[in-house]
Amino acid sequence: MSAILTLNAGSSSIKFSVYASGAAPEELAIGQVESLGSDDAQLSLRWQGEKTAAGIGKTDHAGGVAAILAALEPVLDGRTVAGVGHRIVHGGTLFDAPVALDSEILSALHRLIPLAPLHQPHNLAAVRAAIAAFPDAVQVGCFDTAFHRSHPWVDDTFALPREYFDKGIRRYGFHGLSYEYISGELDRVDPTDHHRKTVVAHLGNGASMCAIQGGKSVASTMGFTALDGLPMGTRCGQLDPGVLLYMMAQEGMDHTRIRELLYTRSGLLGLSGISNDMRVLEASDRREAKQAIDYFVFRIRRELGGLAAAIGGLDTLVFCGGIGENSARVRAQVCADMDWIGIALDPEANRTSADVISTGRVKVRVIRTDEELVIARAVNMRL
Ligand code: ADP
C-alpha cells in the first residue's frame, strides 16, 4: 500500500495532506505547520475526524517537513510515501501541466524566483526537504500558473514595449489549481456545461476571478504577480501604476516599503483599518468595515462584467474560496441587480450556501474548492 503526500509551502506555513493511492486518491488526513521562523511554530492535524495541535518550537521549512513526517507516522501506518506533490506558484511560460521534478527542471524553476520572490523560494525549499526525506518517491510540481497558459495573447500581455513581454513580463494568472478543480467539478455535475461560458470567483484571503470557456482559461484578474485584480485580505488588487511613481517621488518610499504596503497593509485590512478577515468585518458595525466590503464587492462586479465580455456572455458563475463558499452576504451583494446579465439569486439557497443558488438564466453555484486533490491526482497518475 502506498500513499501520496501533498505540500503547499508559504512564507511561514506548510499545508499538507495525505492520500491513499489507488484508482482515485483517497484523503487520509490534512493539516498544516504555521508560524515557521517564530518561537512558537505549531502543527495541526485533522485525522479520523479529530483535530489535534501541538507546538514544534522554532524551526525552518526543513524542520517543518520533518515535523510533518513525524506526525504522519501513525497516519501512514506502514504505507510508503510513493509520491509527493508540490504546489509551486510559478511555472513561467515553461509549464502548462504538472511535471515530475528532476534537477534540470528544478534549476529552471529556480530561475523563475525573481518572478515570485515571496513564494517560489519556499515552494522549492519544500521540494528539497521532500527529496531528502523520500529519495525514492516521485516528486511532482503543480503550478498555479499552468491552467492559464491557454490565455490568448491579448490577455497575456501588457502594453509595454515588446521586449518586456519576451523577458517574461506577462499576465500569468494564479489560483490555477483551484480553477482546474472547479472546471473538473462543473464537468462532473453538469457534463453538458462543458463548452459554456463560466466565470469563477475564487474569494479567499487571496482572491481572483477567471473566465473559462470550453474548460480553458481565457482571462483572469491576477496578472504578473498575485497583487493584481481584486482587493484581497491584505493585498491591494488593481492599482494605477502612477500611484507607485507618486509613492517613490513624493513619499520617498523604496522598493521594500512599497512591497510591504501593497502585500501586507492594503486590501480589506488597509481599507477597514480593522481586519483582513471577512468574518470580523461582517460582524462589525463600523462604517469602515462596511466600506471595505462594499469596495471588495464593487471590484468583483466590475470584473464580472469584464470577464463575461471577454468570453461573450455568461452561463455559469461559481463562488469558491473561504469567502465565496461561506459568505451569503458577499454573494448576495455581488449578485444584486444583475438581472441585466441573467443573474437572479434564490435568497434561501444563498443563505444555506446550497450547490445552486440561482433562479435566473445564469446558473450560480457554490463549490468547495480542493487544490490539494488536484495535486494528489497529478501524483496518482504518475505512480
Ligand atoms: P486562503 O486564501 O488563505 O486559502 P481561505 O480560502 O481560507 O483563504 O479564505 C479565508 C477568508 O474566508 C477569510 O477572509 C475568512 O474570513 C473568510 N471566511 C471563512 N468563513 C467565512 C464565513 N462563514 N463568512 C464569511 N467569511 C468567511
Side-chain angles (χ1 to χ4, degrees), residues 83-107:
V84 186
H86 300 269
R87 181 181 189 172
I88 297 182
V89 70
H90 228 300
T93 55
L94 301 171
F95 302 107
D96 60 5
V99 64
L101 299 168
D102 60 22
S103 57
E104 205 174 303
I105 289 175
L106 283 172
S107 303

Side-chain angles (χ1 to χ4, degrees), residues 22-77:
E26 186 191 324
E27 186 184 290
L28 299 174
I30 63 168
Q32 61 178 325
V33 172
E34 287 169 282
S35 308
L36 286 171
S38 78
D39 286 339
D40 51 1
Q42 280 255 329
L43 185 146
S44 56
L45 178 71
R46 204 178 70 211
W47 176 42
Q48 294 181 333
E50 279 196 31
K51 217 175 158 189
T52 51
I56 56 170
K58 189 177 170 91
T59 189
D60 58 6
H61 281 72
V65 171
I68 290 170
L69 298 187
L72 287 182
E73 222 163 275
V75 177
L76 290 171
D77 191 24

Side-chain angles (χ1 to χ4, degrees), residues 30-336:
I30 63 168
Q32 61 178 325
V33 172
E34 287 169 282
S35 308
L36 286 171
S38 78
D39 286 339
D40 51 1
Q42 280 255 329
L43 185 146
S44 56
L45 178 71
R46 204 178 70 211
W47 176 42
Q48 294 181 333
E50 279 196 31
K51 217 175 158 189
T52 51
I56 56 170
K58 189 177 170 91
T59 189
D60 58 6
H61 281 72
V65 171
I68 290 170
L69 298 187
L72 287 182
E73 222 163 275
V75 177
L76 290 171
D77 191 24
R79 288 185 174 89
T80 35
V81 173
V84 186
H86 300 269
R87 181 181 189 172
I88 297 182
V89 70
H90 228 300
T93 55
L94 301 171
F95 302 107
D96 60 5
V99 64
L101 299 168
D102 60 22
S103 57
E104 205 174 303
I105 289 175
L106 283 172
S107 303
L109 295 176
H110 264 274
R111 288 196 289 277
L112 297 176
I113 285 177
L115 295 180
L118 300 183
H119 295 96
Q120 194 89 337
H122 304 297
N123 302 156
L124 298 180
V127 176
R128 280 194 300 276
I131 290 174
F134 304 106
D136 298 327
V138 58
Q139 307 280 336
V140 179
C142 300
F143 305 100
D144 265 319
T145 48
F147 187 68
H148 300 293
R149 294 316 306 140
S150 51
H151 279 176
W153 179 80
V154 283
D155 198 70
D156 236 13
T157 195
F158 296 106
L160 293 168
R162 291 192 83 104
E163 72 215 58
Y164 292 105
F165 182 80
D166 298 336
K167 282 181 181 170
I169 303 192
R170 305 180 181 201
R171 298 178 48 83
Y172 292 97
F174 299 90
H175 285 140
L177 300 174
S178 175
Y179 294 129
E180 187 177 332
Y181 177 80
I182 298 293
S183 186
E185 279 298 282
L186 288 175
D187 282 351
R188 193 180 63 78
V189 296
D190 192 352
T192 59
D193 228 18
H194 188 63
H195 295 288
R196 293 195 160 203
K197 297 166 182 190
T198 300
V199 170
V200 182
H202 177 109
L203 310 177
N205 207 20
S208 72
M209 293 168 72
C210 180
I212 300 175
Q213 191 168 19
K216 288 195 183 324
S217 168
V218 176
S220 60
T221 60
M222 273 182 176
F224 179 58
T225 66
L227 273 179
D228 201 5
L230 303 180
M232 306 175 217
T234 61
R235 288 175 248 163
C236 58
Q238 189 275 333
L239 193 68
D240 175 352
V243 172
L244 304 183
L245 299 176
Y246 179 90
M247 297 282 190
M248 286 189 279
Q250 305 301 324
E251 301 266 321
M253 290 175 76
D254 63 7
H255 168 266
T256 308
R257 284 180 60 207
I258 291 180
R259 185 177 75 186
E260 196 240 333
L261 172 74
L262 303 185
Y263 276 95
T264 66
R265 293 201 288 124
S266 299
L268 295 174
L269 174 66
L271 281 174
S272 67
I274 300 170
S275 174
N276 64 322
D277 191 311
M278 183 58 83
R279 280 166 296 199
V280 175
L281 298 182
E282 287 192 357
S284 168
D285 51 16
R286 287 191 29 208
R287 185 176 61 103
E288 294 86 350
K290 179 180 179 304
Q291 285 183 329
I293 298 174
D294 287 349
Y295 180 79
F296 184 63
V297 166
F298 174 70
R299 299 304 312 194
I300 295 168
R301 289 165 63 90
R302 272 186 69 144
E303 295 289 356
L304 178 58
L307 292 170
I311 47 176
L314 186 68
D315 298 310
T316 304
L317 170 64
V318 179
F319 286 99
C320 65
I323 299 170
E325 291 160 22
N326 297 297
S327 175
R329 171 172 166 181
V330 167
R331 292 191 304 254
Q333 279 188 239
V334 168
C335 294

